[in-house]
Amino acid sequence: MIIGTFKELKPGESRVVLTPTEVAELTGGGHTVLIGKGTGENAGFPDQSYAEAGAELRDGMEEIYAEAELIVKVKEILPEEYHLLREGQILFTCLHPAANREEVNVLLDKKVIAFTAEDTHQYGSPNGEVAGKRGALWGAHYLLSVNGGMG
């Protein structure tokens, strides 16, 4: 399978869905991994580390969308990506479909196979438990004056 990812477009987003470790595992399993140049720079993964792990570097998201069978991302697709999607392409990312009817319509119109990452984990997303139930409890814990908080 040809798997691709690129630097997230959403302002302030520095996370990457594939690190060089995952790339090495995927390429070791016979897959081709396409990484957009600069994808991991803000997360501490230079292009060279991806190349050493077996990734093929591409100039940007247009090339990734044109070649990849599976697109993996951290964040939802943005309107500037809609025209790049193609029929039968597989997309795995956080989509939040209930909050974005336009995005859902594009995916349906383009006949993309889309998996919402937040629906593939027992807590809604890998961060769901911390961001949700536990996050509130730990926040309250650190607000207590006995723990150095404001009380």
Side-chain angles (χ1 to χ4, degrees), residues 7-148:
K7 190 171 189 169
E8 293 291 334
L9 301 176
K10 197 157 193 172
E13 185 57 69
S14 297
R15 294 177 294 171
V16 293
V17 73
L18 294 177
T19 68
T21 300
E22 285 88 24
V23 169
E25 189 169 327
L26 290 166
T27 58
H31 300 284
T32 299
V33 179
L34 310 175
I35 301 287
K37 290 179 182 171
T39 294
E41 63 188 18
N42 291 337
F45 304 111
D47 289 344
Q48 184 62 32
S49 65
Y50 283 107
E52 290 170 0
E56 297 179 21
L57 297 175
R58 296 293 186 266
D59 286 326
M61 75 174 179
E62 292 83 4
E63 290 180 58
I64 304 292
Y65 270 109
E67 296 180 56
E69 299 164 305
L70 168 64
I71 301 287
V72 292
K73 294 175 40 92
V74 173
K75 296 303 291 177
E76 68 275 4
I77 56 172
L78 298 177
E80 51 264 48
E81 296 172 73
Y82 293 170
H83 72 283
L84 300 170
L85 294 163
R86 61 181 200 278
E87 185 174 338
Q89 195 164 46
I90 304 167
L91 178 65
F92 182 83
T93 190
C94 288
L95 291 169
H96 312 295
N100 193 340
R101 184 62 191 181
E102 177 187 26
E103 178 185 60
V104 171
N105 287 340
V106 168
L107 294 171
L108 291 171
D109 291 343
K110 295 277 190 164
K111 298 180 181 174
V112 171
I113 301 163
F115 294 92
T116 60
E118 63 270 24
D119 290 337
T120 62
H121 191 274
Q122 66 179 348
Y123 299 114
S125 83
N127 299 324
E129 186 177 14
V130 174
K133 298 173 191 169
R134 277 206 183 147
L137 293 173
W138 280 107
H141 171 82
Y142 286 108
L143 284 173
L144 296 173
S145 58
V146 296
N147 296 321

